[in-house]
Amino acid sequence: SRLVEAFGVRPYFDRVLAACEMGVGKPEAEAYHLACEILGVKPEETLMVGNDPEDDLHGAQAAGLKALLYQGGNLASELKAFWEKAHGRL
């Protein structure tokens, strides 16, 4: 949660989960599946936003989630571009 606050992106998310709080670590698929269970969502309906290519991007994709690699740019613009690529223009 501290990293989310530090990146200044907390307002974009309803809930933030940390792998260390769940007792399972990334990039294990179990971490992502447990997070989805806690949030009450299906992996294929979930977007994981992270800053580590291996643990966040590849780990989430291997677990069946959509994933966005955040590298400190404008998150709102990155999310909009991601949505448009996946679903067409807003």
Side-chain angles (χ1 to χ4, degrees), residues 25-32 54-56 58-60 62-63:
K26 300 180 292 183
E28 300 299 323
E30 183 182 355
Y32 296 101
E54 192 61 36
D55 287 350
D56 297 330
H58 299 139

Short mmCIF file of all heavy atoms in Angstrom, two decimals, residues 25-32 54-56 58-60 62-63:
data_model
loop_
_atom_site.label_atom_id
_atom_site.label_comp_id
_atom_site.label_asym_id
_atom_site.label_seq_id
_atom_site.Cartn_x
_atom_site.Cartn_y
_atom_site.Cartn_z
N GLY A 25 3.34 -15.18 -2.17
CA GLY A 25 4.08 -14.17 -2.90
C GLY A 25 3.94 -14.25 -4.41
O GLY A 25 3.61 -15.29 -4.96
N LYS A 26 4.18 -13.12 -5.04
CA LYS A 26 4.21 -13.06 -6.50
C LYS A 26 5.54 -13.64 -6.95
O LYS A 26 6.52 -13.56 -6.21
CB LYS A 26 4.10 -11.60 -6.96
CG LYS A 26 2.84 -10.91 -6.53
CD LYS A 26 2.79 -9.48 -7.00
CE LYS A 26 3.82 -8.62 -6.32
NZ LYS A 26 3.79 -7.23 -6.67
N PRO A 27 5.65 -14.24 -8.07
CA PRO A 27 4.68 -14.34 -9.15
C PRO A 27 3.81 -15.60 -9.10
O PRO A 27 3.25 -15.99 -10.11
CB PRO A 27 5.56 -14.34 -10.39
CG PRO A 27 6.78 -15.10 -9.97
CD PRO A 27 6.98 -14.71 -8.52
N GLU A 28 3.69 -16.22 -7.95
CA GLU A 28 2.90 -17.45 -7.84
C GLU A 28 1.44 -17.19 -8.22
O GLU A 28 0.83 -16.23 -7.75
CB GLU A 28 2.97 -18.01 -6.42
CG GLU A 28 4.36 -18.36 -5.96
CD GLU A 28 5.02 -19.42 -6.82
OE1 GLU A 28 4.31 -20.36 -7.26
OE2 GLU A 28 6.23 -19.31 -7.05
N ALA A 29 0.88 -18.06 -9.06
CA ALA A 29 -0.51 -17.93 -9.49
C ALA A 29 -1.45 -17.90 -8.29
O ALA A 29 -2.46 -17.21 -8.30
CB ALA A 29 -0.88 -19.06 -10.44
N GLU A 30 -1.10 -18.63 -7.24
CA GLU A 30 -1.94 -18.69 -6.04
C GLU A 30 -2.15 -17.29 -5.44
O GLU A 30 -3.24 -16.98 -4.94
CB GLU A 30 -1.31 -19.61 -5.00
CG GLU A 30 -2.15 -19.79 -3.75
CD GLU A 30 -1.48 -20.67 -2.72
OE1 GLU A 30 -0.41 -21.24 -2.97
OE2 GLU A 30 -2.06 -20.78 -1.62
N ALA A 31 -1.15 -16.44 -5.51
CA ALA A 31 -1.28 -15.07 -4.98
C ALA A 31 -2.37 -14.31 -5.73
O ALA A 31 -3.20 -13.63 -5.13
CB ALA A 31 0.05 -14.33 -5.08
N TYR A 32 -2.37 -14.44 -7.05
CA TYR A 32 -3.36 -13.73 -7.86
C TYR A 32 -4.75 -14.34 -7.71
O TYR A 32 -5.74 -13.62 -7.64
CB TYR A 32 -2.92 -13.73 -9.33
CG TYR A 32 -1.63 -12.97 -9.52
CD1 TYR A 32 -0.43 -13.63 -9.64
CD2 TYR A 32 -1.63 -11.58 -9.53
CE1 TYR A 32 0.76 -12.92 -9.79
CE2 TYR A 32 -0.47 -10.87 -9.68
CZ TYR A 32 0.73 -11.55 -9.80
OH TYR A 32 1.89 -10.84 -9.94
N GLU A 54 8.50 -9.10 -14.36
CA GLU A 54 8.43 -10.54 -14.10
C GLU A 54 7.34 -10.88 -13.08
O GLU A 54 6.43 -11.64 -13.37
CB GLU A 54 9.79 -11.06 -13.60
CG GLU A 54 9.88 -12.56 -13.57
CD GLU A 54 9.69 -13.21 -14.94
OE1 GLU A 54 10.13 -12.66 -15.96
OE2 GLU A 54 9.08 -14.29 -15.00
N ASP A 55 7.43 -10.31 -11.89
CA ASP A 55 6.48 -10.65 -10.82
C ASP A 55 5.07 -10.16 -11.11
O ASP A 55 4.10 -10.87 -10.87
CB ASP A 55 6.94 -10.06 -9.49
CG ASP A 55 8.13 -10.79 -8.90
OD1 ASP A 55 8.48 -11.87 -9.43
OD2 ASP A 55 8.71 -10.29 -7.93
N ASP A 56 4.94 -8.95 -11.60
CA ASP A 56 3.62 -8.35 -11.79
C ASP A 56 3.02 -8.69 -13.16
O ASP A 56 1.95 -9.30 -13.24
CB ASP A 56 3.69 -6.83 -11.62
CG ASP A 56 4.11 -6.42 -10.22
OD1 ASP A 56 3.81 -7.17 -9.27
OD2 ASP A 56 4.73 -5.37 -10.08
N HIS A 58 4.17 -10.68 -15.95
CA HIS A 58 4.15 -12.08 -16.37
C HIS A 58 3.43 -12.97 -15.36
O HIS A 58 2.72 -13.90 -15.75
CB HIS A 58 5.57 -12.58 -16.63
CG HIS A 58 6.25 -11.81 -17.71
ND1 HIS A 58 7.56 -11.44 -17.63
CD2 HIS A 58 5.81 -11.33 -18.90
CE1 HIS A 58 7.91 -10.77 -18.72
NE2 HIS A 58 6.85 -10.68 -19.50
N GLY A 59 3.61 -12.69 -14.07
CA GLY A 59 2.93 -13.49 -13.05
C GLY A 59 1.42 -13.40 -13.15
O GLY A 59 0.71 -14.41 -13.11
N ALA A 60 0.92 -12.20 -13.32
CA ALA A 60 -0.53 -11.99 -13.43
C ALA A 60 -1.07 -12.63 -14.70
O ALA A 60 -2.11 -13.30 -14.69
CB ALA A 60 -0.86 -10.50 -13.40
N ALA A 62 0.16 -15.14 -16.37
CA ALA A 62 0.22 -16.60 -16.23
C ALA A 62 -0.92 -17.12 -15.37
O ALA A 62 -1.37 -18.25 -15.54
CB ALA A 62 1.57 -17.01 -15.63
N ALA A 63 -1.44 -16.28 -14.47
CA ALA A 63 -2.56 -16.66 -13.61
C ALA A 63 -3.91 -16.36 -14.25
O ALA A 63 -4.95 -16.60 -13.64
CB ALA A 63 -2.45 -15.94 -12.26
#
